[in-house]
Amino acid sequence: VEVPIEVEKVVEKIVEIPAVKPEPKAKKPTAPRLTLDEAYAKLSAKQKKFFDTLKEYAMSKDKCKEKKSTYYILLGQSSVNPLVKLTIKKDCTVALFKMEDEYMKDIRRNAGSEGTKVKVKETELIVGDSQALATAKEMIDLREDQIERYNDYLKEQRSMKKR
């Protein structure tokens, strides 16, 4: 006995649904960035003391000069290789250190010659208490030592080239 098999016809219909573009997220209104002088004026007395103490400590170092920018102060012998960069973020004194030594510089330069970019970030220290202030002073001393060693290293390299 044969049983008839019913075959269903499936008809596909392509219906285009118009794409709804997501609305761009509304950005939070950000306050305009304050200049260093404006931010300093808004600092608490304690934070002003930290800022001034660090500035004076760095300026007490040999041949230290101050280079003031809109948002920060560079303190050191040169603006290329400063002891410390002082700025103010979120009503807090921030010390930024470029802790790159001669070995790291060589690695970065060698990589750069082949097209590889090595970016060395600054070490950021938020000075919120007296312990952080003491640490910042130690780091200024360390930077001074690093800069001295680097200058000696450069002198050594120059004397080697002369020979």
Side-chain angles (χ1 to χ4, degrees), residues 108-150:
R108 184 171 50 82
R109 286 191 188 117
N110 292 340
S113 65
E114 295 159 21
T116 308
K117 286 189 178 177
V118 178
K119 189 165 183 169
V120 180
K121 300 268 187 193
E122 293 171 318
T123 304
E124 186 175 303
L125 177 65
I126 297 167
V127 186
D129 54 22
S130 54
Q131 179 61 46
L133 181 68
T135 305
K137 285 182 176 181
E138 286 176 32
M139 288 178 80
I140 289 172
D141 293 337
L142 176 64
R143 279 296 298 140
E144 184 181 35
D145 185 50
Q146 276 184 340
I147 291 167
E148 273 178 36
R149 280 186 291 148
Y150 183 62

Side-chain angles (χ1 to χ4, degrees), residues 36 39-40 43 51 71 86-94:
L36 186 68
Y40 184 81
L43 282 181
F51 190 91
Y71 302 113
L86 289 177
T87 188
I88 298 165
K89 291 182 183 175
K90 297 178 184 171
D91 298 326
C92 210
T93 301
V94 178

Side-chain angles (χ1 to χ4, degrees), residues 30-155:
T30 53
R33 187 169 177 192
L34 299 174
T35 65
L36 186 68
D37 293 331
E38 292 168 342
Y40 184 81
K42 287 187 170 188
L43 282 181
S44 66
K46 188 178 180 183
Q47 280 298 320
K48 280 183 182 177
K49 184 178 170 231
F50 290 152
F51 190 91
D52 294 339
T53 304
L54 282 177
K55 185 176 165 185
E56 288 166 19
Y57 187 75
M59 289 301 284
S60 70
K61 301 295 177 188
D62 190 37
K63 297 178 189 170
C64 187
K65 292 180 282 195
E66 176 184 327
K67 184 179 183 305
K68 195 169 185 182
S69 180
T70 312
Y71 302 113
Y72 57 85
I73 294 179
L74 283 175
L75 300 164
Q77 293 177 0
S78 72
S79 57
V80 177
N81 203 2
L83 282 173
V84 65
K85 178 176 170 181
L86 289 177
T87 188
I88 298 165
K89 291 182 183 175
K90 297 178 184 171
D91 298 326
C92 210
T93 301
V94 178
L96 298 155
F97 301 92
K98 203 173 179 182
M99 303 300 281
E100 184 181 34
D101 62 358
E102 61 267 16
Y103 305 111
M104 190 66 194
K105 278 186 180 158
D106 287 345
I107 291 169
R108 184 171 50 82
R109 286 191 188 117
N110 292 340
S113 65
E114 295 159 21
T116 308
K117 286 189 178 177
V118 178
K119 189 165 183 169
V120 180
K121 300 268 187 193
E122 293 171 318
T123 304
E124 186 175 303
L125 177 65
I126 297 167
V127 186
D129 54 22
S130 54
Q131 179 61 46
L133 181 68
T135 305
K137 285 182 176 181
E138 286 176 32
M139 288 178 80
I140 289 172
D141 293 337
L142 176 64
R143 279 296 298 140
E144 184 181 35
D145 185 50
Q146 276 184 340
I147 291 167
E148 273 178 36
R149 280 186 291 148
Y150 183 62
N151 289 340
D152 293 344
Y153 172 77
L154 290 177
K155 283 178 191 170

Side-chain angles (χ1 to χ4, degrees), residues 13-31:
K13 189 175 180 182
I14 298 172
V15 178
E16 285 189 34
I17 300 171
V20 179
K21 290 182 183 176
E23 291 183 31
K25 293 179 183 174
K27 289 185 179 178
K28 294 178 190 171
T30 53

